[in-house]
Every structure is written in C-alpha cells, then in structure tokens.
Amino acid sequence: IFSIIHKNEDSGEKGNDQEGLSKAFFFLYNRNMKCEEDIMVQPLFLHSVMQEKIWGGTRLKEEFGYDIPSDHVGEFWAISAHPHGVSKVANGPYEGMGLDQLYQEHRELFGNRKEPVFPLLTKILDANDWLSVQVHPDDTYAMEHEGELGKTECWYVIAADEGSEIIYGHNAESKEELRQQIEDKNWDALLTKVPVKAGDFFYVPSGTMHAIGSGILILETQQSSDTTYRVYDFDRKDAQGNLRELHLEKSIDVLNIGEPANSHPDTVVIDDLRMTTLVASDFFTVYKWELTGKANFEKTADYSLLSVLTGEGKLTVDGKDYPIQKGSHFILPSDVESWTLEGQGLELIVSHP
C-alpha cells in the first residue's frame, strides 16, 4: 500500500484532512524533496510502431502530430515489448535497443521483477469507424490456446465526437442465451451500448464483450497481448473483399455473464497537482495526473509508464531536464528514484504493473 504525503511548511499546520490525503497512491509527493542521486540515471524515451486498421483514420496525426503511414492508422503502440510491435529506446546508453531485449537483458531497470515478458502495453486508438464486437481471454485460456498472456485492458477517453458510443457488456443471462442470441445475430437485443465523452474511463477485464465506436480517441493500458476473438464485425469486408474471420466458439467459451464491473476513480488535490487513481487491479494500476505548476516525486513502484495527453513542460531526472509535450511517452526505470515535473496544463496517464 502506498501513501501520499503532504507537508505544509508555510503554515506549520498538519491539517485535519491528513487522513483523507493518505490515500492508496503510487507516489510519495513532497514539495521540498531534492534529487540526490550520485550517478546519472535517465528516463527511457521510445520510438514506437503504428498499426494500420480497417477502422483507423488520421486523428493520430491531427491530434498529436505523429507521422503516420496512411489514412487508416488505427493504433499507436506507444510503449510496447510485444513481438507484433516492439518499441525501441530513443536515448541514452540503450538507444536503438528493443524494449523486449532491454527487459530480458537488463531486468534490474525493471526492479528485477519475475514476469517472463514485459507485462504491459500502452497504445492510443483512433476509431474512425466501429471496431469489431470482441472479447479477450484470461491468462489461463490464452496461454493454453494462443501461447501468450490474456488481455485485461482499460480505456481513458481522450476525445469523442458528439453522440459517440461504445459497447460495454451484453444482456444475456446465461451461456445458452448468449449462444442463441449470437447465432440469431440479435445484436440490438444482446449488446449494451454506452454513450461516452472525453475524460471517461472504463475498466475492461478479460471476458468482457466490448467495442469502441466511431469518432473516439482512446488511450488504452493493457496486458501485453494481441489476442482478440471477434464476435461480430458489422459484415464489412477487408481490402481484398473478404469478410474478416470471426471466432464464435472461443468467444462463447470466454465471455462473462453479468454486467462489467467498472472502477471507481479516486482523486486527491495537493498544491499544483491533481492525482486520480483510475483503477487498481491485479494486472496494472493506472493514474491520471493533472499539473499546473511544479511537483516533485519519489518512486515507490519498480518502474512506471507515462504518456502526456495535453500540455507541455519538462521532466527533471538527476539534475537533467527533458522536454515533454503532448504525445510524449516514456518509462521511468527502477534506478530513477526521484524526479520533478513542471508545466502548465499537463495531463498524463501513468501506469505500473
């Protein structure tokens, strides 16, 4: 359990709200903390992979200024060691090395954790059209049938056109009813649609029926897996004129019965920093940081993944400044014990396993 600590040196008051401020948060925060590392340590900035999709568009370029290879780019795998799209280190002594190799050869940078593969993947999705209605298996099923991790994920909605919706769950009350509704293609009765807006957050455990609707831009934090079972794909065809493959039997095997259990975000505001725990699960913990000024941090998790969604500023590690801006993604490895963030209108999504 991690706590957040606030000291008010100006007033000398401890305040009656100290207990309320001692939340289960990832980081210790102290306004007067100094970086006292004896050796140079660095964040890991990354060069990462774009993924073209039948439902993708150009919003990754329009919103973040990314160089995209076509007008149907659906995903930017911003922090990834998955073999289908490996990020490469962009700075420091490991420049040019794949994150997968770095994790295997320098586990000390990741707290010498025991996970056999880098466990998380951060991506941004541009849903120019509906994604397929789909489900992901859990670790046990995925390892047996696909040879990789299962996939629990979560979505932070960066932007959404007016009237945008997602599919989040289904209405079947048994596996038998679920199978019948799928075989009858009774999608309107089966699927649960939810309106969304910028700033919404959804926790999507393995086994959840889901789909991202058109006009939505999402930052997704997920297990490092690329296994998806399609239930329904709107009868659309690929560039060769073929219907995309469905995976109905596997989908029925792994789909949960009952409503999805979304998380309940918890927020603490201290000085210039507003920190929200979006979800804390067995697979990852995800936060949103909003900063208008300066904040000093000390790490208590083995490493962390950070994505800048708005604003610009600087990250200071071991006395060295690193400019950051909307669209920056980086890892703070285990040897980064403390750091400072400074900027106006900075909004970041932060995660750790």
Side-chain angles (χ1 to χ4, degrees), residues 42-339:
Q42 300 182 51
L44 301 173
F45 290 90
L46 302 163
H47 295 304
S48 298
V49 177
M50 297 285 173
Q51 306 278 2
E52 294 174 284
K53 301 289 183 179
I54 193 172
W55 41 262
T58 59
R59 206 163 181 174
L60 289 168
K61 179 179 180 179
E62 295 159 5
E63 291 283 343
F64 292 99
Y66 296 144
D67 183 17
I68 61 175
S70 74
D71 61 359
H72 54 275
V73 174
E75 298 181 354
F76 177 47
W77 288 23
I79 305 176
S80 169
H82 193 279
H84 294 174
V86 177
S87 301
K88 293 188 176 182
V89 179
N91 65 300
Y94 306 110
E95 183 176 356
M97 183 180 291
L99 183 56
D100 55 349
Q101 180 183 355
L102 184 67
Y103 184 76
Q104 295 303 325
E105 296 182 3
H106 294 279
R107 197 65 64 91
E108 73 280 0
L109 295 175
F110 306 94
N112 290 308
R113 293 178 63 94
K114 302 303 183 183
E115 292 96 343
V117 297
F118 188 80
L120 299 183
L121 196 163
T122 299
K123 63 172 67 166
I124 299 180
L125 295 91
D126 171 17
N128 188 52
D129 196 0
W130 275 90
L131 278 68
S132 63
V133 180
Q134 59 190 243
V135 63
H136 308 298
D138 64 14
D139 286 345
T140 300
Y141 192 98
M143 194 60 65
E144 178 182 350
H145 292 84
E146 315 298 339
E148 70 167 358
L149 294 175
K151 189 174 175 183
T152 285
E153 62 191 42
C154 61
W155 305 336
Y156 179 79
V157 180
I158 301 170
D161 294 347
E162 186 175 353
S164 295
E165 295 178 313
I166 63 170
I167 290 168
Y168 188 59
H170 63 80
N171 299 311
E173 297 182 357
S174 67
K175 285 283 190 176
E176 293 74 21
E177 181 183 357
L178 177 65
R179 177 181 291 275
Q180 191 63 55
Q181 295 276 42
I182 290 174
E183 290 177 351
D184 292 345
K185 300 183 179 182
N186 196 2
W187 307 119
D188 289 340
L190 177 62
L191 302 175
T192 302
K193 289 187 175 181
V194 177
V196 298
K197 64 184 184 304
D200 286 347
F201 180 83
F202 296 89
Y203 179 56
V204 188
S206 60
T208 303
M209 184 95 83
H210 64 276
I212 301 172
S214 61
I216 302 175
L217 191 67
I218 275 177
L219 184 137
E220 178 173 303
T221 303
Q222 60 160 91
Q223 291 181 268
S224 184
S225 173
D226 199 24
T227 295
T228 295
Y229 299 149
R230 294 193 197 101
V231 181
Y232 175 55
D233 197 37
F234 304 94
D235 297 321
R236 61 187 157 194
K237 297 180 179 180
D238 61 20
Q240 289 71 45
N242 301 313
L243 295 172
R244 297 202 296 170
E245 182 182 6
L246 302 179
H247 315 91
L248 299 185
E249 289 303 320
K250 288 181 176 179
S251 295
I252 293 169
D253 280 350
V254 304
L255 276 163
N256 297 330
I257 301 298
E259 294 183 4
N262 203 3
S263 62
H264 300 283
D266 187 19
T267 300
V268 169
V269 179
I270 301 174
D271 297 338
D272 296 334
L273 185 64
R274 178 183 177 94
M275 301 201 302
T276 301
T277 301
L278 296 172
V279 66
S281 76
D282 292 339
F283 306 101
F284 44 67
T285 302
V286 182
Y287 313 86
K288 179 171 72 170
W289 295 351
E290 298 165 277
L291 181 66
T292 55
K294 183 177 181 179
N296 300 311
F297 299 85
E298 181 179 315
K299 71 108 177 180
T300 56
D302 291 320
Y303 60 93
S304 55
L305 287 61
L306 297 90
S307 298
V308 183
L309 298 186
T310 62
E312 61 182 13
K314 66 179 180 180
L315 164 72
T316 303
V317 174
D318 201 26
K320 182 176 180 181
D321 294 337
Y322 301 86
I324 58 173
Q325 60 186 0
K326 178 179 180 177
S328 298
H329 305 267
F330 53 96
I331 297 172
L332 294 176
S334 188
D335 59 356
V336 176
E337 297 287 346
S338 59
W339 65 93

Side-chain angles (χ1 to χ4, degrees), residues 26-37:
F26 168 40
F27 293 95
L28 298 172
Y29 167 64
N30 186 324
R31 207 166 46 189
N32 291 332
M33 187 180 62
K34 302 294 184 182
C35 179
E36 299 178 348
E37 294 293 324

Side-chain angles (χ1 to χ4, degrees), residues 6 8 11-22:
H6 177 222
N8 191 333
S11 66
E13 297 177 359
K14 294 183 180 179
N16 295 328
D17 62 345
Q18 185 66 37
E19 181 178 354
L21 293 175
S22 294

